[in-house]
Amino acid sequence: MTQCIPSENYIHWIHFIFGDCVYSTQEAISVLLGYASIFCWLNAQIPQVIENYKVGSAESLSINFLSIWLAGDAANLIGCILTGQLPFQRYLGIYFVSIDICLLCQWIYYNSRDKRRRNNKHRLSTNKQPPHTDPLSKVFQHPSVRTPLLIEGQQQAPLKTLDDELAPYSASSSPSKWYTLNNTDNKTTKKTVLMALFLFGTRLPAASLVSASSQQEDWYTVVADNSLIIGRFFAWICTALYLLSRIPQIVKNYRRRSIDGLSPALFAFAASGNLTYTSSILLNPNNTRESLLEAVPYLIGSAGTLTFDFTIFCQFLYYWRQKRKQQERHHQQDHHVVA
């Protein structure tokens, strides 16, 4: 535990619980808001995991929202590892990536299961045929067998041709194949983009090392400079990814005209985490001009996503009211029918 210097304004209980040395009320508020932010983020995605399990579906979530969020947390974890952050920061990064992967696996599992069910239903409906309709046996039958007798007062049923009989067996599945190819290309493109970003990020410190070695700078200074470059790079990458992550989900909610299946606690905890994190940084009395400049990407990422979270909250409120009005109209119609 960190050894604190006793003073008149020293807050002993914060040091006893959290191990932080705090000497003013404002600093105590900043520290407590920081831990409140960690608590909110630890509980952010869990309600959505539970909601997906209850309804047996993840259709309400946007795959782009989950993928971008995972990419942001992964960039954050890589930055923590490469810049040598504290162990608990690395553990938090691993936890965030793990829970993101859990949500993504739920989406893949439930959507793959639903797709298989739809394909099975479609295959069963297209393969339904009357008994004794083997197309090969029809080919080798005598024409008289295939020609029905004409009975007075009864219309002759149209004859089925060989093409009609073979139609269910020759139905092409090319649309699904084309969709598969397109999805593969999209995945390849996304992987290429992410790989390019990763290579670009890892080449920056390498170039600095070559330049430093050519100028014969001190090794420790080079390491410190490279860590700072890596940290800044991944900080801005995280900011961009976090800001972009909400947009696909907002668009999906608008297209569905519904928020069914989404857990409001997910965005409530996320908004609370961003708000407390931003407040913790701004209220810290030990801030300097340099420290605030280093925190700019984190402030933009946290404060910026609050705007998108507010938009999602408005969607929750609006579509919930629309659903309630629709239920009331149906109830009134049923009441009039009974009366």
Side-chain angles (χ1 to χ4, degrees):
M1 183 177 291
T2 305
Q3 295 296 327
C4 299
I5 301 175
S7 66
E8 181 179 356
N9 297 324
Y10 170 62
I11 302 177
H12 178 73
W13 67 270
I14 291 183
H15 178 260
F16 179 76
I17 297 176
F18 301 107
D20 294 311
C21 300
V22 177
Y23 298 95
S24 67
T25 303
Q26 182 178 351
E27 188 177 2
I29 295 174
S30 175
V31 170
L32 293 177
L33 286 174
Y35 284 107
S37 175
I38 294 175
F39 173 80
C40 292
W41 282 114
L42 286 175
N43 295 277
Q45 290 102 324
I46 293 178
Q48 188 62 54
V49 174
I50 297 174
E51 182 70 18
N52 294 342
Y53 177 76
K54 286 182 178 179
V55 300
S57 174
E59 183 63 27
S60 59
L61 291 171
S62 169
I63 183 62
N64 293 327
F65 165 64
L66 297 178
S67 301
I68 297 174
W69 202 345
L70 173 60
D73 287 337
N76 178 50
L77 176 59
I78 294 173
C80 287
I81 294 175
L82 295 181
T83 55
Q85 298 299 314
L86 296 175
F88 89 93
Q89 292 176 289
R90 295 197 295 269
Y91 299 151
L92 285 176
I94 293 173
Y95 170 78
F96 293 145
V97 171
S98 300
I99 199 71
D100 292 342
I101 292 176
C102 181
L103 278 173
L104 193 60
C105 289
Q106 278 189 323
W107 192 95
I108 294 173
Y109 170 75
Y110 287 126
N111 282 273
S112 300
R113 185 199 62 184
D114 295 341
K115 186 177 180 180
R116 286 196 301 270
R117 289 178 178 178
R118 288 193 297 267
N119 291 338
N120 291 336
K121 290 181 180 179
H122 178 72
R123 191 159 49 246
L124 290 175
S125 62
T126 55
N127 288 340
K128 286 182 179 179
Q129 293 184 358
H132 308 296
T133 55
D134 186 1
L136 296 179
S137 62
K138 294 284 186 180
V139 174
F140 297 102
Q141 283 180 347
H142 192 273
S144 60
V145 177
R146 300 182 62 185
T147 305
L149 297 176
L150 294 177
I151 302 176
E152 186 176 358
Q154 181 180 0
Q155 293 183 350
Q156 180 180 0
L159 295 177
K160 291 185 178 181
T161 63
L162 180 61
D163 292 337
D164 294 333
E165 296 293 338
L166 291 175
Y169 295 90
S170 62
S172 174
S173 59
S174 58
S176 61
K177 292 181 180 178
W178 282 112
Y179 295 148
T180 303
L181 290 175
N182 289 335
N183 291 336
T184 304
D185 294 339
N186 290 335
K187 291 179 180 178
T188 304
T189 304
K190 292 178 181 177
K191 290 180 179 178
T192 304
V193 172
L194 291 176
M195 183 59 68
L197 287 174
F198 180 76
L199 291 176
F200 177 72
T202 53
R203 287 184 63 183
L204 283 175
S208 300
L209 283 174
V210 173
S211 177
S213 61
S214 63
Q215 298 176 4
Q216 296 182 351
E217 293 182 354
D218 184 72
W219 184 83
Y220 293 102
T221 304
V222 174
V223 173
D225 291 341
N226 287 325
S227 299
L228 187 60
I229 292 174
I230 294 172
R232 288 173 177 173
F233 173 78
F234 280 103
W236 283 107
I237 289 294
C238 292
T239 297
L241 292 173
Y242 288 147
L243 288 174
L244 293 174
S245 63
R246 304 297 198 275
I247 298 177
Q249 188 61 53
I250 293 174
V251 174
K252 187 176 182 67
N253 295 341
Y254 175 76
R255 290 176 178 175
R256 293 175 65 228
R257 297 291 193 275
S258 173
I259 43 84
D260 292 340
L262 281 180
S263 173
L266 166 65
F267 298 97
F269 276 117
S272 300
N274 286 322
L275 182 61
T276 51
Y277 181 77
T278 304
S279 302
S280 175
I281 294 177
L282 296 178
L283 290 177
N284 191 346
N286 300 319
N287 279 330
T288 62
R289 185 174 180 273
E290 290 74 15
S291 64
L292 286 176
L293 287 176
E294 292 295 335
V296 165
Y298 304 104
L299 291 173
I300 294 176
S302 297
T305 51
L306 282 173
T307 305
F308 295 107
D309 289 336
F310 177 75
T311 303
I312 294 178
F313 282 130
C314 292
Q315 287 183 323
F316 267 102
L317 184 61
Y318 175 76
Y319 292 126
W320 177 79
R321 287 183 175 179
Q322 293 295 319
K323 183 179 179 180
R324 186 175 179 180
K325 290 180 180 179
Q326 187 177 5
Q327 291 175 347
E328 290 177 354
R329 285 195 297 266
H330 288 319
H331 180 72
Q332 292 176 357
Q333 291 176 358
D334 295 340
H335 180 71
H336 288 315
V337 170
V338 172

